[in-house]
Structure formats: C-alpha cells, structure tokens
Amino acid sequence: MQQYSTLFVGLDQHKDSIAVAYAPGDRKEDVVYLGPVGTRQCDIDKFVRTLQSKAKRLLFAYEAGPCGYWLYRYLKRKALECLVVAPSLIPRKAGDRVKTDRKDAVQIARLLRSGDLSGVYVPEVQDEAIRDLCRAREGSMRDLKAAKLRLKSFLLRQDIRYSGKTTWTPAHLRWLAEVVCPTPAQQIVFQEHLRAITEHSERMARMEAELREQVKSWRLSPLVEAYQAARGVQFHVAATTAAELGDIRRFDKPRQLMAFVGLHPSEDSSGPRRRQGGIAKTGNIYARTALIEAAWSYRYPAKVSRQIQERQQALSPAIRDISWKAQVRLCKRFRKLIAHGKYPNVATTAVARELVAFLWAIAQQVQLSAEQSVN
C-alpha cells in the first residue's frame, strides 16, 4: 500500500451522513472519493483509521453549517488538524450548475490541497453557550415585538384607540385591562393576544436574568464589563458582542476587526476608477446589528450619564478615558456626516465602524491590566 506524507480530507457534513474525499499531497494525483460514512463516533473513528493507514498527517476541512462544530471538536480531541470553512468563501465556477455530496467533498479536498481555503473562528464550548443565550434573548425580543404588533393591528381594526402618548407604559397597560371588544369571540382573541405578550415578556426576563448569571463565571466577563464603559453599549450589547466575536484581542489591528464584522465598505474598482459602495455585510450579523444599535446613541451630544457612571465605577481610568474619547469623536462624527447630507442610517453605520475600533482599544487595555496584575 502506498504511504503518503499528507492527505487533505474534504468532508461534506449532513445530519445523518458525511461524504468523505481525500487528496494526496502530490498535485499530480487525483482526488479519491471514499464515500459516505455515518455520523456516529465509531463510524468516524473507522474512516479516520483507514486514512491514517495511508498517510502520517491528515488535514480535514468541512463547510460551516447547521450541524455546528461538534465534528471539529471531536477531531481536535483526537489530535487531528481540522478547518471549518465559510461556504461563501469557497471558490465556485460561475457556470457550474451541478451540486452533489460527492462533488462538494472532492472540491473541498482539492481546494484544501491547493491552499485556497481558510478556516473561520470556532468558539469555545462556553463561548458558544453564552452565544446561544444571547440569541435566545434576541429571539424572545423579536417574538415580543411581533406579539405587540399583532395586538395593535387587532385593536386598530376594531377602531379601539389609545388616547395616551406612549404605549406599553403602566398607564397603557391599565387601559388595556379595561378594553371591551364588540363581540365575545373578539374579546377572546384580544385576551389571547394580551396573554401572548405577557408570556413573551416573562420569557425575555428569564433569559435576561440567566444571561447575567452565566456571564459572571464566563472567561470573557472582564471584557463584557469593560465594553459597557462605552456609550450605548449596555449589558446585552456587550454580551452579544463578546459572545459572537469571541476575544477580539486576537486581531492585530482595528481594521481587521471592522472587516470581520462586515462594517467595512464594499469596493468595485478597476484601473483608474475606484468605486466604493455600502458596507460589505460579511461576518457575524448578530454582532453587526448590536453594534449599529449601540451607535444610535451617539446622535446626541457627548455626556456621561448616571447610567454610564455606574457602569464605569469598577473600571480603570484608562478605560474611562477611552470611553470619553469615543464619545467626543463619535458624536462629532455623526453631526458632521448629517451636516454633509448623509442619511441617518448611513451616519450611524459609519459611527458603528469606528465604535468597533474603540472597543478593540478597550479590549487591549483589559489585557494590559490583566498582565500587570499577574506580574
């Protein structure tokens, strides 16, 4: 049996099967399709042993997908090299209209051998757990908004109008308790809508409380606390940013982090012509959404409010200085963009891009403080 120095293994992962193909290190040799295998650990161990009998070194790769990172972590526990690749970054031929499991596995193995694939950031197990909590809270908030919209639409169809200025205040809730619909059937519908809002509100409160409790023992808890020094970065924004992006200190420059989040401008340039468009929208949509939400607070003049003072009490003066510098610059930046005729959404996105750089600086300061405390 021929022994290779390295085998590049492409995996096409599904719920019940994994298509396997491998490419020898010599580019003159063709890619070999091993076939589909099961997803049980014994099935994975079997095909790994088969490949280990053919080469000393194995390098695996598969597309990120709904099955998560369990396969990556299992291979890592067996001291094997593995990459998780973003599907959007896999080169594909424009005219290719045939897609099969075999073809995908062979293509991944071939591209892995040629060096055209790069792995994405894989979070640790605890980081992914906090991320799931953040996303569950976000889902509860969307459900709550949808339930409130359904109730408002129902009341509007019945021409039942609230005379107050602000909805979902204690006064508005007292008014809802006194609403009487024209028919018994409509009254049942109204009560069900109101009950759904109550259930979603309670669920969101439970998620918020559990998230705060879990973050206390999280390894990135110092970053979550430090992020909250910045204006607009409240607890859920800080926790979402840390959970979705991980430790942003792994980026050497803020521009790398901006590109990772997808807040950098897209570009279509050729020759002497240079054309930049909207943001690229690559990377993590949850972190990008949270940061843009935080950036809206900079449309007001710079000010250290009572809430910000409370969040900054336990933080170092260096982090507080970065937060104030960010306020002065970003508030001025927003007003300047608006004065130049930019739409508020465009100005807010530009502010969010610069806010990422200040969060990176805060993270670097946290690392510096940790190193000084150890020494």
Side-chain angles (χ1 to χ4, degrees):
M1 180 182 295
Q2 185 176 1
Q3 186 76 14
Y4 301 102
S5 60
T6 304
L7 282 184
F8 299 90
V9 186
L11 306 175
D12 190 36
Q13 184 185 18
H14 297 280
K15 177 182 177 181
D16 300 320
S17 64
I18 303 173
V20 182
Y22 64 86
D26 188 359
R27 298 191 179 186
K28 296 181 180 179
E29 299 193 31
D30 294 334
V31 180
V32 178
Y33 179 64
L34 193 62
V37 298
T39 56
R40 298 176 301 174
Q41 293 184 2
C42 60
D43 299 327
I44 297 174
D45 293 339
K46 182 178 180 180
F47 88 78
V48 167
R49 286 194 300 268
T50 302
L51 295 175
Q52 286 176 334
S53 65
K54 299 177 181 293
K56 298 179 180 179
R57 176 173 176 255
L58 301 177
L59 179 57
F60 296 85
Y62 68 94
E63 292 182 351
C67 295
Y69 303 113
W70 70 266
L71 181 57
Y72 168 88
R73 294 182 178 125
Y74 182 73
L75 293 175
K76 282 293 185 180
R77 287 197 299 268
K78 296 177 70 66
L80 297 171
E81 300 177 70
C82 183
L83 294 178
V84 181
V85 186
S88 59
L89 299 180
I90 297 179
R92 301 185 186 278
K93 296 180 181 179
D96 192 354
R97 293 293 184 270
V98 178
K99 184 182 183 304
T100 62
D101 295 347
R102 174 173 182 165
K103 193 169 185 177
D104 289 345
V106 169
Q107 182 187 28
I108 292 174
R110 183 180 293 111
L111 293 173
L112 184 63
R113 180 175 62 181
S114 63
D116 293 328
L117 297 181
S118 57
V120 300
Y121 171 74
V122 178
E124 296 185 6
V125 176
Q126 189 182 16
D127 297 353
E128 189 175 15
I130 299 296
R131 188 188 69 177
D132 290 338
L133 265 178
C134 291
R135 293 186 179 183
R137 180 197 170 277
E138 184 71 19
S140 299
M141 185 174 65
R142 289 196 300 267
D143 293 340
L144 178 59
K145 288 182 178 179
K148 289 180 177 179
L149 181 60
R150 284 193 292 268
L151 177 60
K152 284 186 174 182
S153 301
F154 174 78
L155 293 177
L156 183 61
R157 290 197 303 270
Q158 310 306 320
D159 195 28
I160 301 176
R161 302 174 184 271
Y162 176 60
S163 58
K165 294 182 179 180
T166 307
T167 57
W168 311 114
T169 59
H172 182 234
L173 296 177
R174 289 193 297 269
W175 176 80
L176 287 174
E178 299 174 356
V179 169
V180 178
C181 296
T183 65
Q186 291 171 332
Q187 187 69 31
I188 291 177
V189 173
F190 169 77
Q191 294 297 336
E192 289 295 334
H193 283 317
L194 197 60
R195 182 179 178 183
I197 293 174
T198 303
E199 292 175 351
H200 289 311
S201 299
E202 293 175 351
R203 180 180 177 224
M204 185 174 174
R206 291 194 302 269
M207 289 292 179
E208 180 82 20
E210 186 64 27
L211 180 61
R212 289 183 179 274
E213 184 65 27
Q214 293 293 332
V215 165
K216 292 179 181 179
S217 59
W218 188 26
R219 70 179 184 93
L220 298 181
S221 178
L223 286 180
V224 175
E225 295 179 0
Y227 289 159
Q228 295 180 68
R231 182 175 183 172
V233 184
Q234 299 178 1
F235 172 77
H236 70 277
V237 176
T240 300
T241 303
E244 297 292 344
L245 302 182
D247 192 350
I248 63 177
R249 294 172 295 190
R250 69 182 189 273
F251 296 97
D252 296 330
K253 298 180 181 179
R255 289 185 179 274
Q256 296 176 351
L257 180 57
M258 296 175 188
F260 185 81
V261 180
L263 289 172
H264 64 294
S266 59
E267 187 171 351
D268 183 14
S269 300
S270 178
R273 177 182 62 83
R274 187 186 183 205
R275 178 183 298 173
Q276 287 186 321
I279 59 174
K281 293 185 179 180
T282 57
N284 193 288
I285 186 175
Y286 295 95
R288 185 168 61 251
T289 302
L291 291 169
I292 292 177
E293 177 185 345
W296 277 105
S297 63
Y298 291 94
R299 66 187 186 272
Y300 301 110
K303 176 185 177 182
V304 180
S305 63
R306 179 176 58 84
Q307 291 82 2
I308 296 178
Q309 290 179 355
E310 293 176 353
R311 300 202 300 261
Q312 293 180 352
Q313 283 181 356
L315 301 177
S316 65
I319 294 179
R320 293 199 294 267
D321 292 341
I322 294 174
S323 172
W324 176 244
K325 183 180 178 181
Q327 275 213 57
V328 173
R329 175 176 174 82
L330 298 182
C331 293
K332 181 179 179 180
R333 174 75 168 161
F334 185 89
R335 293 194 301 270
K336 185 177 180 180
L337 291 172
I338 294 297
H340 287 175
K342 297 294 183 180
Y343 289 106
N345 289 347
V346 176
T348 304
T349 304
V351 169
R353 180 166 58 249
E354 295 194 18
L355 176 61
V356 169
F358 284 104
L359 293 181
W360 179 87
I362 290 175
Q364 298 299 320
Q365 192 61 43
V366 171
Q367 183 179 18
L368 180 61
S369 300
E371 293 175 353
Q372 291 176 351
S373 63
V374 171
N375 296 333

